[in-house]
Amino acid sequence: MREQIKWWQKAVFYQIYPRSFADGNGDGIGDFKGMIAKLDYLKELGIDAAWLSPHFPSPYVDCGYDISDYRGVAPEYGDLDLFKQFLNGLHARGIKLVLDLVLNHTSDLHPWFQESKSSLNNPKRDWYIWKKGNGKQAPNNWYSAFGGSAWEYDAATDEYYYHYFFKEQPDLNWKNPAVKEAMFNEARFWLNMGVDGFRLDAVGTIFEDESYSNIKLKIDQDELFRLSQIAETAKDHTQVHLYWMKMFKHQVDQPEVHQIMKDLRKVINKYEDRVLIGETDDVAFYGNNDDELQLNFNFPLMRTKKLSAEHVRKNQKERLSALPVGAWPCNTLGNHDSSRAFSYFGDGVNDNIQARLNLMLLLSLKGTPFLYNGEEIGMSDYLITDPKKFKDPLSTLYYNLDKKVMGAPEPNASLTGAERGRDKCRTPLQWTNEPNAGFCPAGIEPWLPVNPDYRKGINVKEQEKQTDSLLNFYRFMLKVRRENPALISGEYQEIETDNQSVLVFYRRDAQQVLLLALNLSDTEQQVVVNTHDLYKMKIIANTVKQQPNVSIHSLALSSYQGLILSEVQISG
Ligand code: NOJ
C-alpha cells in the first residue's frame, strides 16, 4: 500500500489566498513577488502542495471568483513570468501547485460573455443561459445563492441570463460542447505549463434542471434569512439547511455534471500525475472506479459548532462508509469561505491548545488534509464592521437583509454583515509585529484591515523564535506526519472505550501501529484502552507540555490533550 500511494494522497495541502498572503511590491495587495519571497517559509512549514485561490484577471466582484481571462495573471498580482517563477520555485522545493478552476461561470466582463450579450444571433449567444421572460417577469422563480433572483434582464436583447452567484457571474451553458472544449483548453494551458491539478470551484452548480420549472417552497429568501438569524439549536440549523437544499434543488447536483467530470478527468489523465479536487461533499463526484475527481471535501466534518469526539466519530463513520471503493478522503477545518477554525472551534479560553488538538486530528484522520493560510499562527476571524469597508459583497447583502427583514438597527446590521460575510477570514497574513504586520509598508493601506492581534504575538516572526509556539507545533506535526507513514496510508480503526469524550483510534499498516487518543473536552479525562500495553508505547506527539499519566491500560489526559503513541519495534 505504502508503495502505491500517490503524491496527492500523501500530501498536506495549504491554501494560499493570493491577495492576502504576501505583498512584494508594497501596494497593500498580495502578489506573486510576495509569494516568491515566502517560498522558503512554505518549505520550512513542511507542506507538500499549495492550492492557490484565483490569481486570474478579474473585476473582483466576488474576490477573484469572477474571472475575465482564464489564461492570465491579475495585473495587481504580477504576470505570467512571475507566476512561472513561483511555480518553479515550489517545484524546486518539492511542493506541488494546484490552481482554482472556476467552471460554472465567468465574469460578466469576460470577452465570451461580452460577445454573447452583444446580440441574439452572436455565435457565442448560446455559451451562456439566456431565456425569454415570463411576460414582464423573470423566466422562473429561482433564486441566486448570493441573493435575489437568479435572472438578470438585458434590455438590449430583451432576454434574461441566469446566474447562480452574483449577477456579475453569468453561468456558462455546459450543454454547449463548444463551451466544454473552450474551458478544457483553458485548463490544458496551465497543465502544459506544469501545474499539478485543479481545485474545481462550485462543481455542483454547473448544470440546471432543464425543465426550468418553478420551485415550490412555502418560504421565500427573506424568510429563510430570518430563520437562519434566529436559529439556535442544531435542529433549527438543520431545518434552515433543508430549506436551502429545497430552494436550490433544481440548480445544483444535476446528473449531467458527472459526464463533464469524467471528460475532464480524461483531459488530466493525458498528463502525468495530476489531481482534481472538487469543492463539494457529494461523494458521487468520485465517480465509478476512479473516473471523476480524486478528492472531494468532507465538509460535514467542519459543519458543527463543536468538534466533539461524538461528532468526529459520527462523521467518520458516515463519511468513510459512504465513499466508493478505493476513494480517498479529504478533510479540512476551514477555508476562505468559512470562519477561521481558530475562532470558530475555539471556546475563547483554550483556543491555542484546541488549535493544536484540531491540527493533530486533521493530520491523523484518514485522508488528505487541507490547511488554510494563517491558521498555523492562530489567525482568528477579524470582524470588519464598517459597511463602507466591506470588500465581500456578501457582507453587504447580509447587512441589508438584516435591516430589511429583521428591522435591525445600524450597529447590529453591520455586525451581521461582518459575521456572515467572508472578509473576516481573508485579512492579510501577519508576518511580523511591525506596522501592518509586515504585510505591507507602514503608511500603506492594506486591501483589507490587518487584525491588530499581530502585536500580541500572532505573527510569524515572533513565533518562529518561540519553541513552543503554534507555528512550531504546526511544523512539528507536519514532520510527524511525514515520518510516520501509517498516518497517511494506515488503516483507520476506532477503538471503543469507556470514555465518550476521548476519541481513540488506530492508524496502522503492516509496518507500524499508531494509537491516537484525543481528549476533545475541556476537562481532564481518564480512558481505559484494553487493546494495548500502553506504557510500552512511545509518545511521538503531544498537544501539551504536560506528560500524560500512563498506566498499563489507561491514560489520564488533561483538557484538550491529544497524543500519538507508537508501538515500539522490538528488534532482534
Ligand atoms: C466557491 C468559492 O469558494 C467562493 O469563494 C465563491 O464565491 C463561489 N464559489 C463562486 O465562485
Side-chain angles (χ1 to χ4, degrees):
M1 176 67 187
R2 281 187 185 178
E3 300 68 40
Q4 297 148 14
I5 203 144
K6 305 261 190 340
W7 70 263
W8 47 265
Q9 294 175 304
K10 280 191 209 149
V12 174
F13 279 75
Y14 177 86
Q15 181 188 356
I16 297 181
Y17 196 69
R19 213 169 190 81
S20 289
F21 190 64
D23 175 12
N25 66 356
D27 64 355
I29 299 176
D31 49 38
F32 278 105
K33 202 169 162 221
M35 287 185 256
I36 291 165
K38 300 298 180 193
L39 283 166
D40 287 335
Y41 172 75
L42 297 175
K43 179 72 195 164
E44 276 159 39
L45 183 57
I47 56 145
D48 309 282
W51 151 30
L52 189 63
S53 274
H55 66 278
F56 312 93
S58 160
Y60 223 72
V61 172
D62 186 19
C63 304
Y65 284 88
D66 46 326
I67 298 168
S68 54
D69 171 7
Y70 281 77
R71 297 193 185 197
V73 170
E76 66 271 33
Y77 297 164
D79 55 24
L80 267 181
D81 277 346
L82 283 164
F83 174 86
K84 285 181 195 157
Q85 270 184 51
F86 178 60
L87 174 66
N88 295 338
L90 286 173
H91 283 171
R93 290 165 179 79
I95 302 172
K96 307 272 188 183
L97 177 65
V98 305
L99 300 182
D100 219 313
L101 188 61
V102 183
L103 300 171
N104 176 64
H105 51 270
T106 66
S107 157
D108 60 339
L109 298 188
H110 193 294
W112 296 344
F113 186 70
Q114 290 294 308
E115 278 187 56
S116 179
K117 192 183 161 181
S118 66
S119 77
L120 285 170
N121 49 23
N122 182 278
K124 290 213 170 58
R125 184 68 175 180
D126 196 31
W127 281 41
Y128 292 83
I129 299 165
W130 291 97
K131 297 260 178 259
K132 287 261 164 268
N134 209 343
K136 285 234 168 296
Q137 287 181 349
N140 66 23
N141 68 354
W142 292 1
Y143 289 106
S144 153
F146 282 0
S149 168
W151 299 96
E152 182 69 10
Y153 181 61
D154 174 53
T157 57
D158 190 27
E159 283 192 345
Y160 290 77
Y161 68 85
Y162 173 74
H163 56 95
Y164 183 80
F165 296 101
F166 293 120
K167 68 178 182 347
E168 294 84 357
Q169 295 167 294
D171 274 46
L172 284 158
N173 174 16
W174 279 86
K175 295 226 155 100
N176 183 340
V179 166
K180 184 170 93 172
E181 212 29 52
M183 198 52 110
F184 285 4
N185 281 336
E186 306 300 57
R188 287 185 185 104
F189 173 81
W190 297 101
L191 293 167
N192 289 337
M193 205 179 288
V195 307
D196 301 286
F198 300 104
R199 173 265 190 188
L200 303 179
D201 184 70
V203 277
T205 62
I206 289 176
F207 280 93
E208 296 70 43
D209 179 346
E210 60 186 2
S211 73
Y212 287 91
S213 51
N214 281 330
I215 38 151
K216 294 185 191 72
L217 196 61
K218 283 187 287 220
I219 61 165
D220 64 10
Q221 213 171 29
D222 286 0
E223 177 61 7
L224 184 57
F225 171 76
R226 195 186 69 80
L227 292 176
S228 69
Q229 282 296 97
I230 61 169
E232 278 177 10
T233 62
K235 202 168 153 220
D236 298 340
H237 287 286
T238 308
Q239 184 58 54
V240 169
H241 184 64
L242 290 177
Y243 275 134
W244 175 278
M245 305 277 281
K246 267 195 173 171
M247 188 169 274
F248 294 104
K249 75 171 189 177
H250 294 317
Q251 297 163 262
V252 297
D253 292 343
Q254 300 299 309
E256 296 92 329
V257 71
H258 295 289
Q259 190 54 50
I260 299 291
M261 296 297 106
K262 289 185 170 67
D263 294 344
L264 183 56
R265 180 62 185 273
K266 284 187 196 134
V267 170
I268 72 144
N269 282 352
K270 292 246 179 311
Y271 298 79
E272 210 182 320
D273 247 359
R274 313 294 163 102
V275 69
L276 294 175
I277 306 147
E279 192 217 354
T280 175
D281 54 47
D282 183 354
V283 295
F285 282 85
Y286 282 103
N288 302 310
N289 292 321
D290 189 24
D291 59 355
E292 293 191 32
L293 314 182
Q294 291 104 318
L295 296 173
N296 297 291
F297 288 101
N298 171 16
F299 287 132
L301 177 67
M302 62 186 259
R303 249 181 241 138
T304 176
K305 187 62 198 118
K306 200 164 163 29
L307 275 176
S308 63
E310 189 194 354
H311 170 75
V312 179
R313 254 182 238 121
K314 185 165 175 281
N315 171 268
Q316 289 301 294
K317 194 163 168 227
E318 289 175 1
R319 188 75 187 172
L320 296 175
S321 61
L323 295 183
V325 179
W328 192 258
C330 177
N331 300 303
T332 188
L333 293 176
N335 57 45
H336 67 294
D337 291 330
S338 69
S339 261
R340 280 195 171 272
F342 190 88
S343 335
Y344 193 70
F345 296 119
D347 63 9
V349 179
N350 301 292
D351 297 354
N352 193 290
I353 155 163
Q354 285 177 282
R356 292 169 199 240
L357 186 64
N358 295 342
L359 176 72
M360 182 178 278
L361 173 72
L362 190 71
L363 298 186
S364 312
L365 289 178
K366 181 152 189 178
T368 301
F370 273 67
L371 309 175
Y372 178 54
N373 61 192
E375 67 168 80
E376 70 274 25
I377 53 167
M379 280 182 67
S380 51
D381 283 346
Y382 182 49
L383 297 180
I384 296 151
T385 50
D386 176 356
K388 288 193 287 305
K389 296 209 168 122
F390 289 163
K391 286 289 186 325
D392 179 9
L394 281 188
S395 297
T396 314
L397 172 82
Y398 289 121
Y399 163 79
N400 287 330
L401 275 175
D402 207 17
K403 284 182 147 181
K404 178 179 143 199
V405 178
M406 310 297 285
E410 185 62 33
N412 298 41
S414 312
L415 188 61
T416 300
E419 282 174 345
R420 297 197 55 173
R422 300 164 298 178
D423 291 334
K424 61 179 191 278
C425 63
R426 297 173 175 179
T427 59
L429 230 295
Q430 297 162 204
W431 292 103
T432 69
N433 63 1
E434 290 152 322
N436 287 329
F439 171 74
C440 61
I444 297 292
E445 196 183 342
W447 81 281
L448 266 181
V450 175
N451 187 332
D453 70 3
Y454 72 85
R455 297 193 203 100
K456 295 191 191 141
I458 312 300
N459 68 70
V460 170
K461 195 167 173 197
E462 283 177 292
Q463 292 197 23
E464 275 182 330
K465 285 186 242 148
Q466 297 152 3
T467 44
D468 64 347
S469 66
L470 187 59
L471 175 60
N472 279 320
F473 186 74
Y474 264 71
R475 289 173 169 174
F476 165 72
M477 277 305 303
L478 287 165
K479 187 160 165 274
V480 167
R481 188 178 151 96
R482 271 196 309 280
E483 291 174 353
N484 291 280
L487 281 179
I488 297 164
S489 54
E491 178 200 344
Y492 170 88
Q493 189 196 340
E494 253 169 48
I495 302 173
E496 272 187 42
T497 70
D498 59 335
N499 188 328
Q500 292 303 301
S501 305
V502 184
L503 181 70
V504 187
F505 58 95
Y506 285 123
R507 297 301 311 276
R508 60 172 161 197
D509 63 9
Q511 289 104 314
Q512 191 180 31
V513 177
L514 299 173
L515 186 121
L516 285 101
L518 276 60
N519 175 7
L520 287 144
S521 83
D522 62 358
T523 49
E524 192 184 306
Q525 300 289 337
Q526 183 89 23
V527 61
V528 176
V529 184
N530 283 321
T531 50
H532 264 78
D533 289 350
L534 296 173
Y535 67 92
K536 288 191 189 154
M537 296 185 91
K538 187 176 161 215
I539 297 174
I540 57 169
N542 182 351
T543 54
V544 299
K545 274 199 206 141
Q546 189 187 323
Q547 285 307 306
N549 210 334
V550 185
S551 49
I552 176 157
H553 286 317
S554 80
L555 285 170
L557 298 170
S558 60
S559 64
Y560 300 116
Q561 182 166 29
L563 298 177
I564 307 183
L565 299 131
S566 167
E567 194 151 84
V568 182
Q569 305 288 328
I570 317 264
S571 55

